[in-house]
Amino acid sequence: MPNGYEHIRIVLVNTSHPGNIGAAARAMKNMGLARLYLVAPKEFPSEKAVWRASQALDVLDSAVVVDTLDEAIADCGLVIGTSARGRRIPWPLFTPRECGDRVWAEAQTHQIAIVFGREDRGLTNEELHKCHYHVHIPSNPEYSSLNLACAVQVLAYEIRMSALTEQEGKPITLEEWDQPPARADDVERYYEHLQQTLETLHFLEPGNPRQTVTRLRRLYNRIRLDQMELNILRGILTSVQNYIFHTKNKIRELEDKLPD
Ligand code: SAH
């Protein structure tokens, strides 16, 4: 299998029907993809998945089962979430074709996840906010939600089209960058650090971040932080926290010296 395909994983979150897992595995293999991640599937392994996978049993057998979305995307530099409908806070959006081009271009250098939601209610906002981009298959607005495995098929097909276009000698260009992209788990740790610091500064109410944190996530996701930038931002937060710590100590010392 050429290198790019190995870097692309399909993540199915909390799937109810094992038949859809099998059908997704088949859709993937037909298009040259092999890396399937299952986040807390309701029923897996399952005979129904095996039936629907047909000749893609290898994809099913090597599926990685994890408890949380964070684990499934931890080492990824690009995370794309799929959505059957528009959401309250708009997010950077790809068409399926743009998604294929971008995924194929970036798959040459780092790990990529495309995340699919539950059959009955898709992905939660919290899950969607972990993604750099969202992709919507422009379906009939009066009946916009595709079967899960069909949605996997459409997006896997677009990736294959991008790969074939490149093989025909029309390379897809992505601007040159001097640093690798930040990994999702490192960015998650940064958000925790940021929230703590903003709470210490009383910019955020402790335990009640409201929409500010979501908006900050969207801001950073839009930028697509690289590893160096992330290190700098974490360094800034550490300096702020050290400064607060030392200032508080100084104030305490001065207060102790004041006459009662
Ligand atoms: N009722 C759910 C739809 C879930 S369909 C909702 O309103 O969100 C199951 C999954 O298939 C979705 O989470 C998404 O991953 C994928 N999917 C279905 N239709 C899609 C579309 N038009 N564009 C992108 N992904 C779609």
Side-chain angles (χ1 to χ4, degrees):
M1 192 193 288
N3 186 25
Y5 289 109
E6 283 167 23
H7 285 165
I8 303 166
R9 75 189 62 170
I10 298 293
V11 180
L12 306 183
V13 177
N14 227 200
T15 311
S16 303
H17 303 294
N20 281 333
I21 298 178
R26 177 178 186 168
M28 287 168 62
K29 186 165 179 183
N30 283 146
M31 296 299 128
L33 296 175
R35 301 188 53 217
L36 178 61
Y37 279 63
L38 304 172
V39 178
K42 296 262 161 65
E43 194 186 324
F44 189 81
S46 154
E47 271 300 301
K48 290 181 204 133
V50 171
W51 292 336
R52 295 286 299 277
S54 195
Q55 321 252 319
L57 282 182
D58 51 340
V59 175
L60 212 53
D61 287 343
S62 57
V64 179
V65 181
V66 290
D67 290 331
T68 62
L69 176 59
D70 283 332
E71 290 167 80
I73 62 173
D75 57 340
C76 293
L78 173 64
V79 181
I80 299 174
T82 55
S83 180
R85 60 202 155 95
R87 303 284 167 147
R88 203 151 59 115
I89 294 190
W91 213 258
L93 193 67
F94 279 146
T95 64
R97 190 145 304 166
E98 288 165 342
C99 175
D101 285 350
R102 182 58 81 95
V103 165
W104 187 251
E106 296 201 26
Q108 310 311 311
T109 54
H110 49 264
Q111 299 286 335
I112 294 164
I114 309 180
V115 186
F116 293 82
R118 300 154 187 83
E119 290 93 333
D120 54 346
R121 53 198 176 89
L123 293 166
T124 64
N125 284 332
E126 196 191 332
E127 287 158 351
L128 283 165
H129 295 162
K130 292 183 188 289
C131 303
H132 298 108
Y133 294 91
H134 294 165
V135 57
H136 171 69
I137 299 163
S139 42
N140 175 359
E142 281 159 32
Y143 187 37
S144 67
S145 144
L146 277 74
N147 163 268
L148 173 60
C150 294
V152 172
Q153 185 72 82
V154 170
L155 296 181
Y157 168 79
E158 288 295 350
I159 294 170
R160 187 160 188 83
M161 286 302 102
S162 302
L164 294 177
T165 306
E166 190 190 53
Q167 278 161 20
E168 283 162 14
K170 289 177 251 164
I172 297 147
T173 54
L174 177 75
E175 64 272 12
E176 285 284 304
W177 204 250
D178 57 342
Q179 293 288 326
R183 288 164 47 116
D185 52 355
D186 291 335
V187 178
E188 233 10 84
R189 273 196 289 275
Y190 169 70
Y191 289 141
E192 279 167 29
H193 198 171
L194 179 63
Q195 192 167 334
Q196 267 169 19
T197 313
L198 295 181
E199 287 179 0
T200 312
L201 291 169
H202 297 287
F203 181 80
L204 289 179
E205 229 178 283
N208 190 11
R210 300 228 191 107
Q211 287 230 328
T212 311
V213 170
T214 302
R215 289 189 179 276
L216 285 170
R217 274 179 182 271
R218 183 174 68 168
L219 168 74
Y220 287 115
N221 277 327
R222 219 161 63 227
I223 293 169
R224 299 283 310 283
L225 293 169
D226 68 36
Q227 282 173 14
M228 179 74 83
E229 289 163 343
L230 191 66
N231 288 342
I232 296 170
L233 287 173
R234 289 211 64 171
I236 294 173
L237 292 183
T238 305
S239 302
V240 171
Q241 287 185 321
N242 287 342
Y243 187 79
I244 295 171
F245 179 77
H246 291 303
T247 309
K248 276 188 177 162
N249 277 352
K250 277 219 184 81
I251 293 174
R252 213 167 291 135
E253 276 169 27
L254 286 173
E255 280 175 348
D256 287 347
K257 280 190 196 142
L258 282 178
D260 288 331

